Amino acid sequence: MRFEDLLRPTPQGLYCPPGDFFIDPVQPVARAVITHGHADHARSGHDAVLATPQTLAIMAERYGEAFTARRQPSAYGEATDIGGVSVRLVPAGHVLGSAQAVVSWRGMTITASGDYKRRPDATCAPFEPVRSHVFISEATFGLPVFVHPPDGEEIARLLESVRQFPERTHLVGAYALGKAQRVIRLLREAGWDRTIHVHGALERLNALYQREGVDLGPLASATVPARGGGGLPGEIVIAPPSATQDRWSRRFAEPVTAFASGWMGVRARARQKGVELPLVISDHADWAELTDTFTELAPEEVWITHGREEGLLRWCALRGQTARALRLVGYDEEEGEVETPGSGAAID
Ligand SMILES: [Zn+2]
Ligand SMILES: [Zn+2]
């Protein structure tokens, strides 16, 4: 028996032949196991979806209640039998509800981690290491140059800028699922207890996080007249990244544009996006988190997917860790989050 008998890459995504299900399929399938709610992993139109209750709620919020014909909620740690294959979801530490899918069958266990990070995040359950024969890892930041600084330092730079420029609005670009809520929580932890103003495109997911028990403190809609400019001086506004760059941003007082993303560690990217204050805050593991995880789990095989696979393959080869690249297609590298039409810039 080979590991590929249990899970194998296909054009639609990772497929489990004995259980006849896909993990994070990129096309509609009969039965899907979904690791988390980011748009490139969680698509609508599957007949049946097994996911954590939070991920199912996120999918319903984004796609409408009819996103699947059948929802199968699975709490963290609970094992579900699918055609003789055991599927258990354990926390991945990526965003609210995010899970690693631990798939076991005939004495073999494979963990498909989806997207993950290892550092603390008050908006979701921490990554839980699971010993398995095969560990499937993302590789978004899979090069040694990617070193994410402590997020508290990045938030301190934002607050320092707010103190320095009290007459300007600080406009922080953050993706709607996960990043926006994490930035708000980090601001609260750093002592910023004033009302935080948010773009309309973020409100429903903020409300969902709050319903799920994540305390975001006082929030208000960033509704200021479009004409004239000069709105909300001295305040912090959180918005989808695209909105911080377009016409919508002109209503604020000489906005300082910030962007919270792991990619902001790459100066050229920040410059190219016209970001004045890049904040290196990521929901993905950086190089050290990825390689430390491989060392800690010491699986028989590491399978590497979406991102920079070559550097991690080389790292594994040098340490005698068996590894292969899955070359799955259809996953996005922009922090796993595509801005869908209507998610941001269109709202004026
Ligand atoms: Zn991803
Ligand atoms: Zn993701």
Side-chain angles (χ1 to χ4, degrees), residues 332-345:
D332 188 52
E333 70 158 26
E334 195 61 39
E335 296 259 17
E337 186 71 321
V338 193
E339 281 190 75
T340 47
S343 75

Side-chain angles (χ1 to χ4, degrees), residues 35-41 94-95 114-116 138 177 283-284 306 335-337:
T35 61
H36 67 286
H38 278 148
D40 54 331
H41 291 256
H94 178 54
V95 296
D115 291 336
Y116 66 99
E138 58 144 322
L177 172 58
D283 285 330
H284 293 267
H306 63 297
E335 296 259 17
E337 186 71 321

